[in-house]
Amino acid sequence: MSENATTSVKTPVDFWFDPLCPWAWMTSRWVLEVEKVRDIEIRWHIMSLAVLNEDRVDELPEEYRDMLATKAWKPVRVATAAWQKHGADVLGPLYTALGTRFHNNGEGPTLDAIAGALADAGLPADLIDYAEQEDFEFESELRASHKEGIDLVGQEVGTPVIAVPGADGEQVAFFGPVVTPAPQGEQAARLWDGTLAVASVPGFYELKRTRTKGPDFSNL
């Protein structure tokens, strides 16, 4: 038997995230759990809630508008700069570091939390300088990454966006799954198997119910 015949091919999972979003954070922890029990390869990409909502700011609640203006740009700029200067492989560890501080530890998207996350991920401290760079050096790369993900699912969604292989091998993308708390173990595997199942059905678009619980980080 040839070496190629015994080598399993990992299922690619493209995952677009904004570090600010608690729902994307829990979904990301789910796919990392899936990685332990299914043969998948996660490829991390950046999207931006600020970019997503910039043409409909006047329609948003004031509190959400203020959050986008004061908090959303800083972490996504730093993550984009890290990606551009140090490669896509740093995105996973940096996202874990940012999300752990923002969400699990309750520090929020402050400059101190972002700086701490850079240290946690082993990245240069001077990347924090991009957080408040008004003429952002990597603006086009950020917007291109965002557009790549959102073009797969449409403008009516948010983050996370995941893309998996469909029935014909082409990417099928969804917003979500939105779940709390993040499933673990066999429960994580069942949700993954269901995700692949619906992706295999041409013309499948959505399942949805009203959220009755907020983000629960207690098992992370």
Side-chain angles (χ1 to χ4, degrees):
M1 184 176 293
S2 69
E3 181 180 347
N4 288 340
T6 60
T7 301
S8 61
V9 177
K10 292 187 176 183
T11 301
V13 184
D14 288 286
F15 192 108
W16 280 264
F17 68 91
D18 183 318
L20 194 65
C21 179
W23 297 102
W25 172 244
M26 280 182 293
T27 306
S28 73
R29 299 311 93 181
W30 161 65
V31 294
L32 285 172
E33 188 72 12
V34 172
E35 195 174 39
K36 301 175 185 176
V37 293
R38 294 291 187 268
D39 205 11
I40 69 170
E41 176 188 14
I42 306 167
R43 302 183 296 207
W44 302 102
H45 308 274
I46 294 169
M47 65 179 295
S48 168
L49 290 171
V51 172
L52 181 69
N53 290 286
E54 62 186 356
D55 292 331
R56 53 189 178 200
V57 170
D58 293 341
E59 305 168 14
L60 302 173
E62 183 177 356
E63 182 179 356
Y64 193 73
R65 241 186 357 251
D66 291 343
M67 180 273 294
L68 292 177
T70 61
K71 298 177 181 179
W73 284 109
K74 295 174 186 178
V76 82
R77 282 173 179 157
V78 171
T80 302
W83 159 42
Q84 289 299 303
K85 294 175 75 72
H86 301 282
D89 287 347
V90 307
L91 281 177
L94 179 57
Y95 183 27
T96 290
L98 289 167
T100 298
R101 285 180 174 270
F102 290 2
H103 306 300
N104 295 7
N105 298 350
E107 296 177 39
T110 64
L111 287 176
D112 285 344
I114 297 170
L118 288 170
D120 296 341
L123 288 165
D126 61 4
L127 285 169
I128 195 67
D129 295 341
Y130 290 96
E132 297 181 315
Q133 189 180 71
E134 292 185 9
D135 187 14
F136 181 45
E137 181 178 345
F138 303 111
E139 181 84 11
S140 61
E141 290 83 358
L142 166 58
R143 289 180 178 274
S145 178
H146 173 88
K147 184 177 186 299
E148 181 185 12
I150 212 69
D151 280 355
L152 293 172
V153 290
Q155 292 289 331
E156 295 79 20
V157 301
T159 176
V161 168
I162 66 168
V164 299
D168 57 2
E170 293 187 6
Q171 277 190 322
V172 176
F174 300 108
F175 163 59
V178 176
V179 61
T180 186
Q184 298 181 341
E186 186 55 33
Q187 190 178 59
R190 287 198 302 270
L191 180 56
W192 169 251
D193 294 342
T195 301
L196 287 185
V198 297
S200 72
V201 179
F204 174 84
Y205 288 101
E206 64 180 294
L207 289 169
K208 189 169 183 177
R209 62 176 176 168
T210 300
R211 299 180 204 172
T212 58
K213 295 181 179 179
D216 179 356
F217 311 121
S218 60
N219 67 343
L220 299 179

